[in-house]
Amino acid sequence: ILTILGNSAVLATAVKRSSLLKSPELFTVNLAVADIGMAISMYPLAIASAWNHAWLGGDASCIYYALMGFLFGVCSMMTLCAMAVIRFLVTNSSKSNSNKITKNTVFILIAFIWLYSLLWAILPLVGWGYYGPEPFGISCTIAWSKFHNSFNGFSFILSMFLLCTVLPALTIVACYLGIAWKVHKAYQEIQNIDRIPNAAKLEKKLTLMAVLISVGFLSSWTPYAAASFWSIFNSSASLQPIVTLLPCLFAKSSTAYNPFIYYVFSKTFRCEIKKLQCCCGWRVHYFSSDNSVEIPVSMMWSG
């Protein structure tokens, strides 16, 4: 619910401000699309299976669920990677060069991200890698446990970890470290903090927001990646079901964080959310403790 409401608010704001969106902001929209796509295509089936205490459907629904998870997961990771690279280029370029990153360039990058993600998602369907149920039995993913006895599976996992996890993660870390060093040097040159231009302050805030989005995603998926990597070299039976279930749930919760981060750091997003509230007439009332007079207060919903 939080994922759908929050990311729907992000998409509604983007549509309303479509003519004012800057090129790098399109990556934020793409991230919201991936998050809401994961929530709609996967979560209802997983929740129903949890209530059923067993996976609903047969192999076809399991493959569908795993494919959707892999597709949207890789898409989110590569979007964050592209976002970090673009922010690094913008921060380290002159204003004239940063304007060369046009919307058409970003659209091409987003199209490449989706094609790249789709390629990796369909590879297990054509014989390189496998999809299968999770050890706890109520969701499906890449069949990690089958890979320690299979060169086919092991080569797929190794390639996937390097090209879809390790390399993008290292790129994200390297870009934001480079940005942090650039900002640090720039602030050192300005002795009086009151003389720091508003553009520099805005750039710092946008960079911090992007860093928190990346940290939230990576920290959410790291426990799941660790448990999955363990399953490659050891039997899944060596891990208790709860040990494999919690990292999976924590990883999927990553789709709900971003709208909260946008709300804290983006004044424009806060204003648009308040306008959405007014349009929809969402209100909540409370009684003042001082005079017990009922006062209408706008309810800030989770978006």
Side-chain angles (χ1 to χ4, degrees), residues 272-291:
E272 292 297 334
I273 290 298
K274 291 176 182 178
K275 291 178 182 178
L276 285 175
Q277 289 177 236
C278 295
C279 292
C280 297
W282 292 330
R283 293 288 184 269
V284 67
H285 296 79
Y286 74 92
F287 287 93
S288 171
S289 57
D290 297 330
N291 51 19

Side-chain angles (χ1 to χ4, degrees), residues 128-187:
W128 194 29
Y130 313 95
Y131 286 134
E134 300 268 18
F136 50 86
I138 56 172
S139 70
C140 295
T141 184
I142 299 169
W144 308 96
S145 59
K146 292 184 179 181
F147 296 145
H148 57 277
N149 293 325
S150 167
F151 176 77
N152 177 300
F154 184 78
S155 62
F156 172 77
I157 283 295
L158 186 61
S159 301
M160 187 273 293
F161 257 111
L162 289 175
L163 298 177
C164 298
T165 305
V166 176
L167 188 59
L170 290 177
T171 302
I172 291 171
V173 172
C175 286
Y176 287 130
L177 285 177
I179 292 171
W181 177 252
K182 177 76 173 180
V183 171
H184 173 71
K185 296 297 288 183
Y187 273 58

Side-chain angles (χ1 to χ4, degrees), residues 66-264:
L67 187 145
M68 290 294 105
F70 199 17
L71 171 65
F72 291 120
V74 174
C75 180
S76 296
M77 185 65 167
M78 300 311 296
T79 300
L80 290 173
C81 182
M83 189 186 299
V85 172
I86 293 297
R87 184 135 301 281
F88 177 80
L89 294 176
V90 169
T91 304
N92 289 273
S93 301
S94 63
K95 187 174 181 180
S96 59
N97 289 331
S98 64
N99 290 334
K100 292 181 180 179
I101 303 174
T102 63
K103 286 188 177 181
N104 287 336
T105 302
V106 174
F107 280 131
I108 292 172
L109 287 174
I110 290 175
F112 174 78
I113 287 170
W114 280 103
L115 290 174
Y116 184 82
S117 305
L118 183 61
L119 173 64
W120 280 100
I122 64 175
L123 284 175
L125 301 181
V126 297
W128 194 29
Y130 313 95
Y131 286 134
E134 300 268 18
F136 50 86
I138 56 172
S139 70
C140 295
T141 184
I142 299 169
W144 308 96
S145 59
K146 292 184 179 181
F147 296 145
H148 57 277
N149 293 325
S150 167
F151 176 77
N152 177 300
F154 184 78
S155 62
F156 172 77
I157 283 295
L158 186 61
S159 301
M160 187 273 293
F161 257 111
L162 289 175
L163 298 177
C164 298
T165 305
V166 176
L167 188 59
L170 290 177
T171 302
I172 291 171
V173 172
C175 286
Y176 287 130
L177 285 177
I179 292 171
W181 177 252
K182 177 76 173 180
V183 171
H184 173 71
K185 296 297 288 183
Y187 273 58
Q188 273 190 331
E189 295 174 0
I190 305 174
Q191 299 297 326
N192 187 353
I193 194 170
D194 294 328
R195 295 176 57 192
I196 297 176
N198 290 332
K201 294 179 181 179
L202 177 61
E203 188 68 29
K204 183 179 179 180
K205 181 182 289 188
L206 290 175
T207 300
L208 180 59
M209 182 177 72
V211 168
L212 288 177
I213 292 170
S214 300
V215 168
F217 183 86
L218 293 175
S219 60
S220 297
W221 281 92
T222 297
Y224 181 76
S228 301
F229 207 70
W230 172 273
S231 299
I232 297 174
F233 302 100
N234 302 274
S235 172
S236 298
S238 62
L239 295 176
Q240 294 294 323
I242 191 69
V243 176
T244 56
L245 173 61
L246 290 180
C248 182
L249 294 177
F250 192 48
K252 289 181 172 63
S253 72
S254 65
T255 58
Y257 300 155
N258 294 341
F260 290 98
I261 298 173
Y262 302 147
Y263 188 84
V264 172

